[in-house]
């Protein structure tokens, strides 16, 4: 059974990693994927790989800090495919590191503008279409919002994603009467381009083998390997599908069992 046959899903933050995997999973499972990100070249490359004939994808450069651009992406989905059945929010600023003592709160505000308010802008832009037949909103959060990692400090990122998860509960209540479900996927260490780069950088910095750095991460898991960005994408597609029709206001950890709640 194709989970998303005939459904249209807007995916923000489509690049080389998780956003691409989510869009690919939408098309793989029978849906139409409408791709948004700031860089048009990334969108074109992703769409060509996922859907060579272009029958099931559309894309538009989109900065989720710009309300007008969010509305334009939502309009593209309606114009091209007739409506919107789901939104998966991958777009995020996850590259700002540090804790409280060295915090630059001006940068924190920018991180919050992307990760919290940007996701809410994009959701609101899609609401008129989602209200027509119900649907699903899936936020990509982070395990760091519920358990601080020991390897890196990302206080601004964790706080912004924690706020987004808190907003999820209110949205689930507000939008539920319209049969719109709102859930969050919380990835932990997720094997894909960002973690690959972290492993390579750490190995180079420490003069260690990449295999040893990866082993330090993997041995924290209940399962003997990291989750992948494809695993997280599959969880998002499940929550976007009718198989999750009675699930709303929930957070799902996809982390190979590193943290259990």
């Amino acid at each position: 059974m194709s989970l998303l046959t005939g459904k249209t899903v807007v995916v923000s933050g489509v690049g080389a990693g998780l956003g691409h995997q989510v869009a690919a999973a939408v098309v793989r499972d029978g849906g139409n994927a409408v791709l948004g990100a700031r860089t048009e070249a990334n969108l074109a490359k992703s769409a060509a790989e996922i859907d060579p004939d272009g029958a099931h994808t559309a894309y538009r450069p989109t900065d989720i800090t710009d309300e007008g651009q969010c509305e334009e992406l939502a309009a593209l989905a309606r114009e091209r495919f007739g409506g919107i059945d789901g939104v998966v929010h991958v777009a995020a600023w996850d590259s700002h590191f540090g804790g409280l003592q060295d915090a630059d709160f001006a940068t924190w505000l920018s991180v919050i503008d992307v990760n919290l308010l940007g996701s809410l802008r994009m959701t609101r832009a899609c609401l008129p279409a989602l209200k027509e037949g119900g649907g699903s909103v899936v936020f990509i959060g982070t395990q760091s919002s519920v358990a601080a990692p020991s390897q890196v400090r990302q206080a601004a990122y964790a706080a912004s994603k924690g706020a987004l998860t808190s907003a999820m509960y209110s949205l689930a209540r507000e939008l539920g009467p319209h049969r719109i479900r709102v859930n969050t996927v919380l990835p932990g260490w997720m094997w894909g381009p960002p973690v690959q780069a972290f492993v390579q950088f750490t190995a180079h910095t420490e003069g260690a083998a990449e295999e040893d750095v990866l082993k330090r991460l993997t041995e924290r898991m209940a399962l003997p390997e990291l989750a992948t960005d494809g695993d997280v994408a599959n969880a998002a597609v499940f929550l976007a599908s009718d198989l999750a029709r009675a699930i709303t206001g929930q957070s799902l950890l996809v982390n190979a069992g590193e943290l259990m709640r």
Side-chain angles (χ1 to χ4, degrees), residues 166-234:
S166 294
M168 171 195 73
Y169 298 118
S170 295
L171 291 179
R173 285 289 184 192
E174 178 184 351
L175 304 181
H178 301 285
R179 289 188 170 84
I180 300 171
R181 298 173 288 107
V182 188
N183 295 288
T184 301
V185 178
L186 301 175
W189 288 95
M190 176 180 63
W191 188 249
V195 173
Q196 288 174 304
F198 171 81
V199 168
Q200 292 167 356
F201 174 79
T202 302
H204 176 76
T205 302
E206 297 179 355
E210 292 182 19
E211 293 78 6
D212 293 335
V213 176
L214 180 58
K215 182 180 179 182
R216 291 206 303 264
L217 298 179
T218 304
E219 64 190 7
R220 301 165 60 90
M221 314 300 165
L223 298 172
E225 59 186 338
L226 300 186
T228 68
D229 50 12
D231 295 321
V232 175
N234 285 336

